[in-house]
Tab-separated table of all heavy atoms in Angstrom:
chain	number	residue	atom	x	y	z
A	606	LEU	N	101.995	108.765	120.542
A	606	LEU	CA	101.901	107.431	119.971
A	606	LEU	C	100.944	106.537	120.745
A	606	LEU	O	100.870	106.601	121.975
A	606	LEU	CB	103.287	106.782	119.934
A	606	LEU	CG	104.371	107.541	119.171
A	606	LEU	CD1	105.671	106.758	119.191
A	606	LEU	CD2	103.942	107.814	117.744
A	607	PRO	N	100.251	105.620	120.039
A	607	PRO	CA	99.340	104.684	120.701
A	607	PRO	C	100.072	103.519	121.354
A	607	PRO	O	99.510	102.793	122.171
A	607	PRO	CB	98.452	104.198	119.558
A	607	PRO	CG	99.353	104.272	118.354
A	607	PRO	CD	100.205	105.502	118.575
A	608	THR	N	101.337	103.305	120.959
A	608	THR	CA	102.164	102.240	121.516
A	608	THR	C	103.608	102.684	121.331
A	608	THR	O	103.869	103.814	120.930
A	608	THR	CB	101.869	100.895	120.819
A	608	THR	OG1	102.631	99.867	121.432
A	608	THR	CG2	102.178	100.952	119.336
A	609	ASP	N	104.572	101.810	121.628
A	609	ASP	CA	105.970	102.232	121.516
A	609	ASP	C	106.359	102.420	120.052
A	609	ASP	O	105.793	101.811	119.136
A	609	ASP	CB	106.888	101.218	122.198
A	609	ASP	CG	106.888	99.877	121.479
A	609	ASP	OD1	105.941	99.095	121.715
A	609	ASP	OD2	107.808	99.633	120.681
A	610	ALA	N	107.351	103.283	119.830
A	610	ALA	CA	107.733	103.678	118.474
A	610	ALA	C	108.239	102.501	117.651
A	610	ALA	O	108.001	102.437	116.437
A	610	ALA	CB	108.794	104.778	118.542
A	611	ARG	N	108.915	101.551	118.273
A	611	ARG	CA	109.444	100.411	117.518
A	611	ARG	C	108.310	99.534	116.980
A	611	ARG	O	108.395	99.000	115.869
A	611	ARG	CB	110.392	99.592	118.393
A	611	ARG	CG	111.665	100.342	118.746
A	611	ARG	CD	112.706	99.461	119.405
A	611	ARG	NE	113.878	100.235	119.755
A	611	ARG	CZ	114.844	100.562	118.908
A	611	ARG	NH1	114.757	100.167	117.636
A	611	ARG	NH2	115.885	101.264	119.297
A	612	THR	N	107.266	99.391	117.766
A	612	THR	CA	106.117	98.614	117.295
A	612	THR	C	105.440	99.314	116.120
A	612	THR	O	105.025	98.674	115.151
A	612	THR	CB	105.110	98.410	118.437
A	612	THR	OG1	105.741	97.683	119.501
A	612	THR	CG2	103.897	97.638	117.970
A	613	VAL	N	105.329	100.646	116.211
A	613	VAL	CA	104.741	101.400	115.096
A	613	VAL	C	105.602	101.243	113.847
A	613	VAL	O	105.087	101.035	112.738
A	613	VAL	CB	104.588	102.886	115.459
A	613	VAL	CG1	104.014	103.667	114.267
A	613	VAL	CG2	103.693	103.067	116.669
A	614	ALA	N	106.920	101.318	114.009
A	614	ALA	CA	107.819	101.155	112.861
A	614	ALA	C	107.686	99.769	112.251
A	614	ALA	O	107.682	99.607	111.016
A	614	ALA	CB	109.261	101.394	113.304
A	615	GLN	N	107.566	98.745	113.098
A	615	GLN	CA	107.370	97.375	112.609
A	615	GLN	C	106.057	97.266	111.840
A	615	GLN	O	105.986	96.638	110.773
A	615	GLN	CB	107.382	96.405	113.788
A	615	GLN	CG	107.264	94.942	113.397
A	615	GLN	CD	107.192	94.021	114.602
A	615	GLN	OE1	106.921	94.461	115.721
A	615	GLN	NE2	107.428	92.734	114.383
A	616	MET	N	105.027	97.898	112.378
A	616	MET	CA	103.718	97.896	111.730
A	616	MET	C	103.787	98.624	110.375
A	616	MET	O	103.231	98.158	109.367
A	616	MET	CB	102.721	98.591	112.654
A	616	MET	CG	101.339	98.754	112.089
A	616	MET	SD	100.459	97.188	112.023
A	616	MET	CE	99.162	97.627	110.872
A	617	PHE	N	104.485	99.729	110.341
A	617	PHE	CA	104.652	100.531	109.134
A	617	PHE	C	105.325	99.693	108.042
A	617	PHE	O	104.862	99.643	106.886
A	617	PHE	CB	105.471	101.771	109.485
A	617	PHE	CG	105.705	102.757	108.386
A	617	PHE	CD1	105.068	102.670	107.151
A	617	PHE	CD2	106.592	103.818	108.587
A	617	PHE	CE1	105.295	103.601	106.149
A	617	PHE	CE2	106.828	104.750	107.590
A	617	PHE	CZ	106.191	104.632	106.374
A	618	ALA	N	106.409	99.008	108.402
A	618	ALA	CA	107.136	98.196	107.425
A	618	ALA	C	106.263	97.057	106.906
A	618	ALA	O	106.238	96.772	105.692
A	618	ALA	CB	108.412	97.647	108.057
A	619	ALA	N	105.530	96.402	107.804
A	619	ALA	CA	104.668	95.291	107.393
A	619	ALA	C	103.525	95.783	106.506
A	619	ALA	O	103.116	95.095	105.554
A	619	ALA	CB	104.117	94.582	108.632
A	620	TYR	N	103.024	96.950	106.794
A	620	TYR	CA	101.955	97.549	105.979
A	620	TYR	C	102.454	97.805	104.563
A	620	TYR	O	101.767	97.493	103.571
A	620	TYR	CB	101.502	98.846	106.646
A	620	TYR	CG	100.654	99.757	105.797
A	620	TYR	CD1	99.276	99.575	105.692
A	620	TYR	CD2	101.228	100.829	105.103
A	620	TYR	CE1	98.501	100.427	104.918
A	620	TYR	CE2	100.467	101.677	104.327
A	620	TYR	CZ	99.104	101.479	104.240
A	620	TYR	OH	98.349	102.327	103.466
A	621	GLU	N	103.643	98.364	104.431
A	621	GLU	CA	104.199	98.636	103.105
A	621	GLU	C	104.402	97.342	102.326
A	621	GLU	O	104.132	97.274	101.119
A	621	GLU	CB	105.519	99.400	103.243
A	621	GLU	CG	105.361	100.835	103.720
A	621	GLU	CD	104.618	101.693	102.717
A	621	GLU	OE1	105.149	101.924	101.611
A	621	GLU	OE2	103.479	102.107	103.029
A	622	ASP	N	104.868	96.295	103.011
A	622	ASP	CA	105.057	95.005	102.339
A	622	ASP	C	103.719	94.418	101.890
A	622	ASP	O	103.607	93.856	100.794
A	622	ASP	CB	105.761	94.030	103.288
A	622	ASP	CG	107.222	94.391	103.513
A	622	ASP	OD1	107.782	95.129	102.685
A	622	ASP	OD2	107.787	93.933	104.525
A	623	ALA	N	102.697	94.551	102.757
A	623	ALA	CA	101.392	93.945	102.453
A	623	ALA	C	100.763	94.562	101.213
A	623	ALA	O	100.033	93.871	100.478
A	623	ALA	CB	100.464	94.094	103.653
A	624	LYS	N	101.035	95.823	100.946
A	624	LYS	CA	100.423	96.484	99.788
A	624	LYS	C	100.929	95.931	98.464
A	624	LYS	O	100.276	96.073	97.435
A	624	LYS	CB	100.671	97.995	99.839
A	624	LYS	CG	99.874	98.709	100.903
A	624	LYS	CD	99.847	100.216	100.701
A	624	LYS	CE	101.139	100.878	101.083
A	624	LYS	NZ	102.098	101.061	100.000
A	625	THR	N	102.103	95.327	98.482
A	625	THR	CA	102.673	94.847	97.212
A	625	THR	C	102.058	93.538	96.749
A	625	THR	O	102.197	93.169	95.582
A	625	THR	CB	104.202	94.656	97.361
A	625	THR	OG1	104.454	93.634	98.336
A	625	THR	CG2	104.854	95.952	97.786
A	626	SER	N	101.367	92.835	97.652
A	626	SER	CA	100.789	91.537	97.256
A	626	SER	C	99.478	91.294	97.983
A	626	SER	O	99.279	90.263	98.620
A	626	SER	CB	101.770	90.408	97.586
A	626	SER	OG	102.090	90.411	98.975
A	627	TYR	N	98.582	92.239	97.899
A	627	TYR	CA	97.293	92.128	98.573
A	627	TYR	C	96.303	91.449	97.632
A	627	TYR	O	95.826	92.053	96.664
A	627	TYR	CB	96.782	93.511	98.976
A	627	TYR	CG	95.498	93.488	99.779
A	627	TYR	CD1	95.512	93.305	101.151
A	627	TYR	CD2	94.270	93.645	99.154
A	627	TYR	CE1	94.352	93.292	101.898
A	627	TYR	CE2	93.085	93.625	99.875
A	627	TYR	CZ	93.138	93.457	101.246
A	627	TYR	OH	91.976	93.442	101.982
A	628	ASP	N	96.015	90.181	97.881
A	628	ASP	CA	95.081	89.412	97.056
A	628	ASP	C	95.447	89.486	95.572
A	628	ASP	O	94.585	89.574	94.687
A	628	ASP	CB	93.645	89.912	97.263
A	628	ASP	CG	93.147	89.631	98.677
A	628	ASP	OD1	93.717	88.733	99.330
A	628	ASP	OD2	92.204	90.317	99.107
A	629	GLY	N	96.769	89.472	95.291
A	629	GLY	CA	97.246	89.444	93.914
A	629	GLY	C	97.253	90.780	93.208
A	629	GLY	O	97.571	90.856	92.020
A	630	VAL	N	96.913	91.865	93.926
A	630	VAL	CA	96.869	93.200	93.315
A	630	VAL	C	97.761	94.134	94.117
A	630	VAL	O	97.813	94.065	95.344
A	630	VAL	CB	95.425	93.755	93.307
A	630	VAL	CG1	95.395	95.155	92.709
A	630	VAL	CG2	94.512	92.822	92.518
A	631	ARG	N	98.467	94.995	93.425
A	631	ARG	CA	99.284	95.993	94.112
A	631	ARG	C	98.395	97.147	94.543
A	631	ARG	O	97.644	97.702	93.740
A	631	ARG	CB	100.394	96.494	93.208
A	631	ARG	CG	101.301	97.516	93.893
A	631	ARG	CD	102.604	97.694	93.182
A	631	ARG	NE	103.577	98.358	94.018
A	631	ARG	CZ	104.887	98.245	93.870
A	631	ARG	NH1	105.369	97.459	92.923
A	631	ARG	NH2	105.713	98.895	94.656
A	632	LEU	N	98.475	97.507	95.819
A	632	LEU	CA	97.670	98.602	96.355
A	632	LEU	C	98.517	99.856	96.517
A	632	LEU	O	99.675	99.787	96.922
A	632	LEU	CB	97.073	98.218	97.711
A	632	LEU	CG	96.093	97.044	97.736
A	632	LEU	CD1	95.623	96.791	99.168
A	632	LEU	CD2	94.901	97.317	96.825
A	633	LEU	N	97.917	100.987	96.219
A	633	LEU	CA	98.544	102.281	96.462
A	633	LEU	C	97.612	103.107	97.338
A	633	LEU	O	96.416	103.214	97.045
A	633	LEU	CB	98.794	103.026	95.147
A	633	LEU	CG	99.670	102.337	94.086
A	633	LEU	CD1	99.855	103.270	92.896
A	633	LEU	CD2	101.011	101.928	94.663
A	634	ASP	N	98.144	103.673	98.411
A	634	ASP	CA	97.330	104.567	99.239
A	634	ASP	C	97.484	105.993	98.719
A	634	ASP	O	98.174	106.243	97.715
A	634	ASP	CB	97.692	104.434	100.724
A	634	ASP	CG	99.153	104.748	101.013
A	634	ASP	OD1	99.757	105.539	100.263
A	634	ASP	OD2	99.695	104.204	102.012
A	635	PHE	N	96.837	106.949	99.391
A	635	PHE	CA	96.824	108.323	98.878
A	635	PHE	C	98.228	108.933	98.859
A	635	PHE	O	98.566	109.711	97.964
A	635	PHE	CB	95.873	109.189	99.702
A	635	PHE	CG	94.431	109.016	99.316
A	635	PHE	CD1	93.580	108.252	100.092
A	635	PHE	CD2	93.937	109.604	98.173
A	635	PHE	CE1	92.248	108.079	99.730
A	635	PHE	CE2	92.612	109.449	97.787
A	635	PHE	CZ	91.763	108.676	98.572
A	636	GLU	N	99.037	108.591	99.843
A	636	GLU	CA	100.405	109.110	99.847
A	636	GLU	C	101.206	108.503	98.697
A	636	GLU	O	102.064	109.175	98.105
A	636	GLU	CB	101.088	108.814	101.190
A	636	GLU	CG	100.513	109.585	102.363
A	636	GLU	CD	99.150	109.073	102.781
A	636	GLU	OE1	98.993	107.837	102.931
A	636	GLU	OE2	98.230	109.900	102.931
């Protein structure tokens, strides 16, 4: 890991939330 696991998990959760309202469009990544 590049940092502690809890920070990565926090980042992961925030990333998932950000995709639902990114500049008014829902984003989907490859996964």
Side-chain angles (χ1 to χ4, degrees):
L606 303 182
T608 183
D609 66 279
R611 293 190 182 279
T612 299
V613 178
Q615 183 184 17
M616 176 72 197
F617 182 9
Y620 166 84
E621 290 295 294
D622 289 340
K624 288 195 285 93
T625 63
S626 58
Y627 185 85
D628 293 339
V630 178
R631 181 162 196 156
L632 297 179
L633 302 183
D634 59 28
F635 280 103
E636 292 73 48

